[in-house]
Amino acid sequence: MLDVGKWPVFALLPPEELRLIRQACVFGSAANEALYVTVNDEVFALGTNCSGCLGLGDLQSTIEPRRIDVLCGKKIVSLSYGTGPHVVIATADGEVFAWGHNGYSQLGNGTTNHGLTPALVSTNLLSKRVTEVACGSHHTIALTTDGEVYAWGYNNSGQVGSGSTANQPTPRRVSSCLQNKVVVNIACGQLCSMAVLDNGEIYGWGYNCNGQLGLGNNGNQQTPCRIAALQGVNIIQVACGYAHTLALTDEGFVYAWGANSYGQLGTGNKSNQALPTQINTDKERMVEVAACHTSHTSAAKTQSGQVLMWGQCRGQAVASPHLTHFSSTDDVFACFATPAVTWHLLSVDGDDYLTVAQSLKKEFDSAEISDLKFLVDGKCIHVHKALLKIRCEHFRALLNETDEDAIEIHQFSYLVYRAFLEYLYTDTINLPPEDAIGLLDLATFYRETRLKRLCQETIKRGISEENAITLLSAAVKYEARDLEEFCFKFCVNHLTAVTQTQAFADMDHDLLKNFISKASRYGAFKN
């Protein structure tokens, strides 16, 4: 499952809908617009719909996802957006669709009329297969299977690479010194464009007042220029921020250049750099760099999966790469970029891909490859000996002493024992508070400290005036001190209602005496 939960725009989607998402993109001036693709290859949009950027055929904002019928079944392989915003996608068939803001012809249809629905970008591209698209603030570039780059839209600084500063109304091939070269990766800053060649060379064109083209000067370029300072270095990926650029080499080194007022170059200071500067990450080789033309945030991922971030992080300037606890560069942009938009199209591997955790969860209580079953209250629960040994000291000792393939359990109910075994597979418990008391008993018996803590949290969340005394009794019985204190305070704060329940009337004599004594000391009976 693709985890889009960190992106606030998805917060209102029900869990069952989130589980179906396979690709997603968050954009907009306040990260308030989103598109996503489901496992059934249906495409939905939600958000403020500025300039018709949701592609729904109107300008209505929507807090509920609405389907974009024309894109369903198209299989999106690349997606990018501008700040107008306009949105551009490439499909598995190599077609390009664009919609949204079009004040500078960034939709490539020859007009400056906003596009309310996705339209095929056809001029000069009909015989081409596009594999990747990238947008600057108001211009677009596209990469074909032949390694050619096409560009269109806003061109005040030469960012479409045509040799002039006239806006480009339809796709035009970026040639000049790229004429007989094969491009393999593209990216856009707000007003500039970058291209990586199959031989590891890197070219830039467009706006350069912050040195974001890496040419050693601050002059704009109307046609592609090779970054000579990286001669002999093999670049394999480029990423552009608002006015800075990151490049990754085939040896896993990161170079940065351009604007640096937020420390986004990671050099340890805030001085702009017009030439590529190697970043000292003190880590093993890097395998990905990440930046987005709407922000001054940078991120990178190491070979072992560690994620580093620097630049503008929630308003704070972080001038050197900072090690995070995140597992992907996407999380950096969800939690620290301003606005918190996606830097590329979020996606998971094929539909058949499951993480280790998902695979284990799927096999719980499945008879197909299990090698052990528990018999509880006349019912079977199918499990795997190896997993139980890995996850629980009790089972490690028990299963080392027996070769049985069926074990009967008498001291716990089926509901409780199944929840315990499921916890060993999923790290979570799924029980109502009253039943979690039985699981608390089991956790105490098996000395499972973390499970005991989870049970206590579940019980706390489910406490009510009706069950408070029952839960307090259980906490005392199983010596769950934290839970006992929580239940006691709840009972005192709802004393009138709690003392009128049947559970209070049936309360154990010693427990009742202790409760009244403690409540008195707590000041519950003061006039």
Side-chain angles (χ1 to χ4, degrees):
M1 187 178 85
L2 173 61
D3 176 20
V4 296
K6 292 185 176 71
W7 307 86
V9 71
F10 290 114
L12 291 181
L13 264 63
E16 58 272 19
E17 180 73 15
L18 291 175
R19 278 194 287 271
L20 297 176
I21 296 177
R22 288 296 173 268
Q23 294 172 300
C25 176
V26 179
F27 58 102
S29 58
N32 48 4
E33 284 150 336
L35 299 167
Y36 66 89
V37 185
T38 69
V39 63
N40 303 318
D41 211 30
E42 291 188 309
V43 184
F44 291 87
L46 71 156
T48 53
N49 206 11
C50 183
S51 302
C53 65
L54 297 186
L56 297 167
D58 56 47
L59 294 169
Q60 298 299 311
S61 65
T62 174
I63 204 162
E64 295 273 343
R66 288 170 56 193
R67 195 169 63 180
I68 309 176
D69 292 327
V70 69
L71 293 183
C72 293
K74 288 289 183 189
K75 297 201 183 309
I76 297 171
V77 294
S78 180
L79 182 153
S80 191
Y81 54 84
T83 53
H86 73 290
V87 182
V88 184
I89 66 162
T91 70
D93 291 333
E95 293 180 324
V96 177
F97 289 82
W99 63 97
H101 191 279
N102 195 34
Y104 301 92
S105 300
Q106 58 264 49
L107 301 187
N109 59 18
T111 77
T112 53
N113 304 322
H114 297 337
L116 298 183
T117 53
L120 186 66
V121 182
S122 55
T123 306
N124 296 334
L125 292 180
L126 272 182
S127 60
K128 303 291 179 182
R129 286 176 65 93
V130 170
T131 58
E132 190 179 356
V133 290
C135 297
S137 64
H138 299 91
H139 77 287
T140 309
I141 63 176
L143 176 63
T144 72
T145 49
D146 302 325
E148 299 172 345
V149 178
Y150 285 78
W152 59 95
Y154 195 36
N155 193 35
N156 68 328
S157 304
Q159 57 265 49
V160 302
S162 61
S164 79
T165 54
N167 292 348
Q168 180 59 40
T170 54
R172 175 190 175 284
R173 184 168 173 208
V174 181
S175 51
S176 182
C177 53
L178 292 184
Q179 184 63 46
N180 295 308
K181 308 265 195 329
V182 175
V183 175
V184 293
N185 179 224
I186 54 174
C188 289
Q190 278 273 299
L191 299 167
C192 71
S193 307
M194 304 295 300
V196 177
L197 271 51
D198 61 348
N199 66 1
E201 292 179 351
I202 180 166
Y203 287 73
W205 59 99
Y207 190 73
N208 191 36
C209 286
N210 298 288
Q212 55 262 63
L213 299 186
L215 303 173
N217 61 52
N218 295 106
N220 294 349
Q221 299 293 326
Q222 296 175 11
T223 56
C225 289
R226 183 169 70 86
I227 301 179
L230 290 174
Q231 174 77 37
V233 175
N234 248 351
I235 302 299
I236 57 171
Q237 188 215 336
V238 63
C240 292
Y242 186 94
H244 76 287
T245 308
L246 304 174
L248 177 69
T249 76
D250 60 351
E251 293 182 278
F253 297 117
V254 176
Y255 286 84
W257 57 92
N260 197 28
S261 53
Y262 297 94
Q264 59 264 48
L265 300 187
T267 55
N269 60 49
K270 295 182 184 178
S271 303
N272 290 4
Q273 299 289 335
L275 285 169
T277 304
Q278 189 176 327
I279 307 307
N280 176 19
T281 55
D282 284 332
K283 298 290 166 195
E284 82 262 43
R285 68 184 297 151
M286 298 291 150
V287 293
E288 180 180 76
V289 288
C292 175
H293 72 79
T294 60
S295 72
H296 311 287
T297 306
S298 302
K301 189 174 184 176
T302 72
Q303 194 164 26
S304 67
Q306 291 186 313
V307 173
L308 303 162
M309 73 176 187
W310 61 97
Q312 189 181 37
C313 300
R314 278 189 171 254
Q316 183 175 346
V318 178
S320 297
H322 179 83
L323 185 61
T324 71
H325 62 271
F326 296 133
S327 57
S328 77
T329 54
D330 300 315
D331 294 349
V332 170
F333 289 84
C335 301
F336 281 92
T338 306
V341 295
T342 47
W343 73 274
H344 66 164
L345 179 65
L346 300 176
S347 61
V348 289
D349 297 345
D351 294 346
D352 57 347
Y353 175 78
L354 291 176
T355 64
V356 173
Q358 290 165 341
S359 299
L360 293 180
K361 186 175 182 178
K362 185 166 168 271
E363 290 303 322
F364 171 65
D365 203 13
S366 165
E368 191 179 349
I369 57 169
S370 75
D371 55 1
L372 175 66
K373 61 185 176 185
F374 285 97
L375 305 170
V376 193
D377 298 342
K379 299 175 188 168
C380 279
I381 309 167
H382 298 274
V383 290
H384 307 78
K385 290 178 182 177
L387 184 133
L388 297 195
K389 286 182 184 180
I390 291 168
R391 294 280 287 154
C392 177
E393 283 296 327
H394 166 79
F395 286 129
R396 182 173 296 199
L398 175 71
L399 297 174
N400 280 341
E401 293 170 6
T402 177
D403 287 330
E404 297 289 325
D405 55 10
I407 298 174
E408 283 197 60
I409 299 293
H410 301 290
Q411 68 209 94
F412 300 105
S413 70
Y414 170 79
L415 190 69
V416 164
Y417 213 76
R418 190 178 194 281
F420 169 51
L421 294 171
E422 188 171 9
Y423 159 76
L424 296 178
Y425 278 75
T426 65
D427 262 338
T428 57
I429 58 174
N430 185 21
L431 279 176
E434 289 81 359
D435 293 317
I437 293 171
L439 191 55
L440 180 62
D441 180 23
L442 182 149
T444 307
F445 181 76
Y446 284 158
R447 295 178 181 169
E448 286 285 333
T449 310
R450 182 177 180 274
L451 178 58
K452 191 171 177 178
R453 192 168 68 246
L454 281 178
C455 290
Q456 292 182 58
E457 290 304 316
T458 300
I459 293 166
K460 283 180 186 178
R461 283 197 298 270
I463 196 167
S464 67
E465 291 166 348
E466 279 300 315
N467 67 15
I469 291 293
T470 306
L471 301 184
L472 174 65
S473 305
V476 172
K477 180 178 178 183
Y478 302 122
E479 298 180 352
R481 303 282 180 232
D482 179 51
L483 179 62
E484 179 185 343
E485 191 62 22
F486 177 86
C487 294
F488 170 76
K489 285 180 179 173
F490 183 91
C491 290
V492 170
N493 292 334
H494 299 264
L495 197 57
T496 304
V498 167
T499 54
Q500 291 171 7
T501 63
Q502 188 60 45
F504 186 80
D506 297 340
M507 202 171 178
D508 172 80
H509 181 68
D510 287 340
L511 185 61
L512 177 59
K513 248 180 18 176
N514 287 339
F515 175 75
I516 291 173
S517 172
K518 189 175 177 185
S520 175
R521 291 196 302 277
Y522 194 74
F525 304 119
K526 286 180 180 173
N527 290 330

